[in-house]
Amino acid sequence: MKSLLRILALAGCAALALPAAAQAWPTKPVRLVAAFPAGAPGDVIARLIQPALQAAWGQPVVVENKPGAAGNLAAAEVAQARDDHTLLVGPDTILTINPHLYRRLGVDLRAALRPVTYLASFNQMLVCHPASGIATLDAFARQPATRSYASGGAGSPSHMAMEMLLATTRGKLNHVPYKGPGPAAQDVMGGHVDCGFIVSSVVLPHVQAGRLRAIAVSGRERSVLLPAVPTVEEAGHAGFDATFFETLLAPARLPEPVAEKIQRDVRSALDAPRTRAALAEMDLRALGNTPADARRRSQADFDKWGAVARQVGLQLD
């Protein structure tokens, strides 16, 4: 009986210790490792919420850029961090697409990292050169296989979204990968490539200036900055959803109470009117969902993009 009481007492102490650990966190400066260069959406979000997080946590919050290998370099560094004060800011594709394409990373990212919260959602926008003769999604679907499309790189959101669209419309186009969405948009504007499914924040000013024609949006919601452009689903393809997200990830061992504290503070920072307005100007929708919701969405999108990768037969190492 005494042994049982001792076990119950120890269990109770352990249960109390977890919330106490969350209250004590952070005990030193926090690193936000951005997986893409300065100016990328994740980097911009990290710097927007940095002051609010410093105030909430009472510790310096340092944003460090570690771009390369589609986010895998930064992801590996955070996955192998030895404390709970190193976090990763990057697109959800690090956990939903990259594991299907890169088999020789040396670390199982889905086992080593956990989603803490989704910071914001973003879409790809199907754009074509104004002289291409393509003004609707139906017209795009009828294009011959001799025509081409630009992406921000093999395995990038623009590539995967376009391959999912081609599978949906039963179309075939030649893939021309570029080193990022900017160069891809430039070559569509120059008429060197017919179309591209490119992140909306990059192509919006060119669409507004008439240098590109917007055909459809990849996600479930229209762009608030180009409300006349339909989603792919609205254009006749029920169930199509290629929404992407900027996320906050942590080493998998991060205790749940600490993850929940971080999520609450990040959500509060994202809810600031100035932050929401700044994100909206880049066609980003602020989120801040719970760790449990983030895990569920990550798993669902991992399954979805795995099916696309298998259909395309895409592997990058």
Side-chain angles (χ1 to χ4, degrees):
M1 185 65 177
K2 289 182 179 180
S3 297
L4 177 60
L5 291 174
R6 187 177 295 111
I7 292 171
L8 291 174
L10 290 172
C13 290
L16 291 172
L18 285 176
Q23 291 174 4
W25 188 96
T27 59
K28 62 180 185 178
V30 178
R31 294 173 64 216
L32 297 182
V33 181
F36 283 83
D43 169 78
V44 172
I45 296 171
R47 296 181 191 280
L48 280 172
I49 64 177
Q50 178 187 33
L53 295 181
Q54 286 188 156
W57 295 342
Q59 291 283 352
V61 175
V62 181
V63 179
E64 299 178 11
N65 298 89
K66 193 177 182 68
N72 290 330
L73 290 182
E77 178 173 327
V78 174
Q80 296 166 11
R82 296 183 179 181
D83 60 40
D84 296 333
H85 292 69
T86 301
L87 307 174
L88 175 66
V89 178
D92 62 318
T93 55
I94 290 171
L95 292 188
T96 61
I97 292 178
N98 289 9
H100 297 294
L101 308 184
Y102 300 91
R103 306 293 175 84
R104 302 173 187 172
L105 291 175
V107 57
D108 182 348
L109 293 181
R110 288 191 62 78
L113 294 170
R114 59 169 295 168
V116 174
T117 189
Y118 277 36
L119 301 168
S121 63
F122 64 94
N123 289 319
Q124 309 299 304
M125 187 169 288
L126 178 60
V127 293
C128 297
H129 190 277
S132 66
I134 303 171
T136 66
L137 193 56
D138 284 342
F140 170 82
R142 294 194 299 269
Q143 297 307 303
T146 54
R147 302 196 86 164
S148 56
Y149 78 88
S151 84
S156 66
S158 59
H159 179 204
M160 301 301 282
M162 182 65 92
E163 290 298 339
M164 190 162 79
L165 179 62
L166 291 172
T168 300
T169 61
R170 299 181 181 180
K172 289 186 180 296
L173 295 176
N174 294 314
H175 177 213
V176 183
Y178 290 82
K179 292 183 178 180
Q186 288 294 328
D187 263 20
V188 177
M189 284 189 288
H192 306 296
V193 189
D194 300 296
C195 299
F197 225 159
I198 304 172
V199 64
S200 60
S201 59
V202 168
V203 299
L204 271 167
H206 305 304
V207 172
Q208 292 165 335
R211 293 186 289 267
L212 291 171
R213 176 181 289 145
I215 309 299
V217 174
S218 68
R220 294 279 192 180
E221 300 179 40
R222 296 189 182 200
S223 165
V224 296
L225 301 179
L226 285 176
V229 181
T231 66
V232 172
E233 185 172 48
E234 290 171 334
H237 298 281
F240 188 95
D241 181 16
T243 304
F244 296 92
F245 304 90
E246 289 294 337
T247 60
L248 182 67
L249 309 175
R253 68 174 178 279
L254 186 75
E256 189 69 16
V258 176
E260 291 172 350
K261 170 183 172 58
I262 294 172
Q263 178 267 326
R264 289 193 299 269
D265 292 337
V266 169
R267 175 64 182 266
S268 179
L270 290 170
D271 281 341
R274 285 188 178 182
T275 301
R276 284 189 168 270
L279 294 178
E281 289 177 2
M282 298 185 294
D283 210 26
L284 296 168
R285 288 179 172 81
L287 296 173
N289 55 354
T290 66
D293 287 340
R295 282 194 299 270
R296 282 192 288 269
R297 178 75 200 218
S298 179
Q299 182 61 53
D301 284 345
F302 173 77
D303 295 339
K304 176 176 73 177
W305 293 117
V308 175
R310 288 189 294 273
Q311 181 171 348
V312 177
L314 183 62
Q315 188 172 340
L316 300 181
D317 67 5

